[in-house]
Amino acid sequence: MQNNIFSGLFVGQNLVVLKQVDSTNTYLKNLLSNSEPIAEGTVIMAEDQYAGRGQQQNRWHAQPGKNLTFSLLLKPTFLSPTRQFQLNKLVSLAVADAAQKACGRAINIKWPNDIYWGDKKLGGILIENALQGGVIKNSVIGIGLNVNQDVFPPDAPNPASVKQILHADYDLNTLLSDICSNIEAGYLRLKAGNETELNDRYLARLYRLNEQHTFAAGDEVFEGSVTGVTEEGLLKVATANGERTFNFKEIQFLQPLK
């Protein structure tokens, strides 16, 4: 592991940079399974991640050397499993805040934790928690953010990059440092019990909040508006038949017609 110039107390202070790996989340989980003592805040960054994963085993496409693909380790033993969605909130906000600083444009969070510019996807987050004795022992947080890539595979869902917004390249290390600093600050606030601000800020950044749109749930297509999330992380949608809640992958945001 190598030290780096990050200014935080622990997130990013141990940095491993890999030339190529299938998945940084898998790499980090393998390190943990070897019973090695891994410092909290350790970051595994890949220049080329050829089998990156998103939610529910979705593939994450990233051109080598042009984007941020990394994972970091947190040990939120203070957080009960029923409150683990708080991690999604703080990490999503950390990435969105850093992306907005870089782009100078409004960046939103598409529930649960995709990073969006308008109706286009800038990045995604995959959090894998290991539970032990009623607490979260380890949290492996994978982050993929499109930065300097401007050509995407035809099957990529509505992609966008920082470069496409700025019409210029952006320094990967600066963006990585900003994200890590934001995660550390949010994590320490969460650990101190300051959840009200976290909840309010996540709600304020929610994609399509209080906007009427079309959704799909299974074979059903319906109109509704996102109103928030429950404490457990379920999406709340107001419909003509009242408020409904949805778990991950139970609801699809349909894109507006062009």
Side-chain angles (χ1 to χ4, degrees), residues 177-204:
S177 177
D178 285 344
I179 292 172
C180 288
S181 295
N182 291 347
I183 289 175
E184 180 173 297
Y187 185 67
L188 293 175
R189 287 195 296 270
L190 178 61
K191 193 172 185 178
N194 186 4
E195 296 190 24
T196 301
E197 179 196 12
L198 176 66
N199 296 335
D200 290 346
R201 292 184 60 234
Y202 181 84
L203 183 65

Side-chain angles (χ1 to χ4, degrees), residues 49 52 59-63 67 69 146 149 152-153 155-157:
Q49 179 179 249
R59 287 290 306 275
W60 179 261
H61 300 277
Q63 215 168 49
N67 304 297
T69 49
N146 299 327
Q149 183 169 343
F152 294 89
D155 61 340

Side-chain angles (χ1 to χ4, degrees), residues 215-222 244 250-252 254:
F215 299 87
D219 295 329
E220 179 190 8
V221 176
F222 61 94
R244 299 169 62 179
E250 288 182 349
I251 187 170
Q252 180 182 358
L254 298 184

Side-chain angles (χ1 to χ4, degrees), residues 212-215 220-225 237-242 244:
Q212 195 73 9
H213 285 282
T214 306
F215 299 87
E220 179 190 8
V221 176
F222 61 94
E223 299 292 318
S225 62
V237 180
T239 74
N241 297 319
R244 299 169 62 179

